[in-house]
Amino acid sequence: MAIHLEKLAMKHAEELFAFEKQNRIYFEQTCLPRPAVYFEKDSFLTILNTLIQEEETMFVIYMDEQLVGRINITDVQQTENEKMGSVGYRIGKEYTGRGVASRALYLMKKIAKEQHFTFLEAGTAIDNYGSQIVLLKNQFQFKEKCIDPSRQFSPSDTYVHFESLL
């Protein structure tokens, strides 16, 4: 199983749109649903183009040449001495439990180090044990359990927060 990341680009549009539509119900069970316009082709292309233009770090995940997920660092903040961001990912249902997320996060942390990040954070729904295990395997440390509907990690307003120094 060869896992690699590719920087998000318009060349991924068709494949990523199909991936998002195929996994829509699965993601809605574990994450907040995307707006309905996200699944309209023209709107999706506009959203994708906006994401590509932003300065955020966004990648698609491939396993043996098949797009199986996406991973990103958002909410990037930089001071004179630190560069921080929030890491998030989505893995297609049929690829969960196969080490894809763990490997993709490992690769993303390497990219983050190359881009001079000093700190990453991540949050997940309180009952998303798979994601919590992935974070722990990648040297993220549990920070706190939170109730904050503004964080929007899941349909529930309770999430767990993790941190990793790079």
Side-chain angles (χ1 to χ4, degrees), residues 6-9 51-52 54 56-60 70-74 108:
E6 289 186 16
K7 185 137 177 75
L8 184 63
L51 290 172
I52 292 167
E54 290 177 355
E56 311 291 342
T57 304
M58 301 198 171
F59 291 83
V60 288
R70 57 193 295 179
I71 189 166
N72 54 42
I73 300 174
T74 60
M108 187 59 132

Side-chain angles (χ1 to χ4, degrees), residues 30-31 85-89 120-126 128 131-132 135 140-144 146 151-154 158-163:
T30 58
C31 309
S86 297
V87 68
Y89 56 86
L120 292 175
E121 68 172 359
T124 185
I126 194 156
N128 190 341
S131 282
Q132 293 170 38
L135 292 167
F140 278 76
Q141 303 295 316
F142 172 78
K143 168 115 178 160
E144 62 187 334
C146 303
R151 296 297 295 199
Q152 301 183 358
F153 288 107
S154 72
T158 304
Y159 73 99
V160 287
H161 183 225
F162 291 81
E163 298 177 340

Side-chain angles (χ1 to χ4, degrees), residues 35-104:
V37 296
Y38 190 84
F39 299 97
E40 297 170 8
K41 186 72 174 271
D42 290 339
S43 295
F44 177 83
L45 293 173
T46 300
I47 292 166
L48 184 63
N49 190 48
T50 300
L51 290 172
I52 292 167
Q53 299 305 316
E54 290 177 355
E55 303 250 350
E56 311 291 342
T57 304
M58 301 198 171
F59 291 83
V60 288
I61 304 166
Y62 281 89
M63 180 175 79
D64 300 327
E65 307 310 314
Q66 174 71 35
L67 191 148
V68 298
R70 57 193 295 179
I71 189 166
N72 54 42
I73 300 174
T74 60
D75 302 326
V76 176
Q77 300 172 19
Q78 190 162 359
T79 65
E80 190 173 313
N81 299 320
E82 293 184 316
K83 186 173 181 182
M84 303 164 271
S86 297
V87 68
Y89 56 86
R90 290 183 179 211
I91 307 299
K93 183 178 182 176
E94 68 183 275
Y95 301 101
T96 60
R98 297 168 69 177
V100 173
S102 292
R103 180 70 179 155

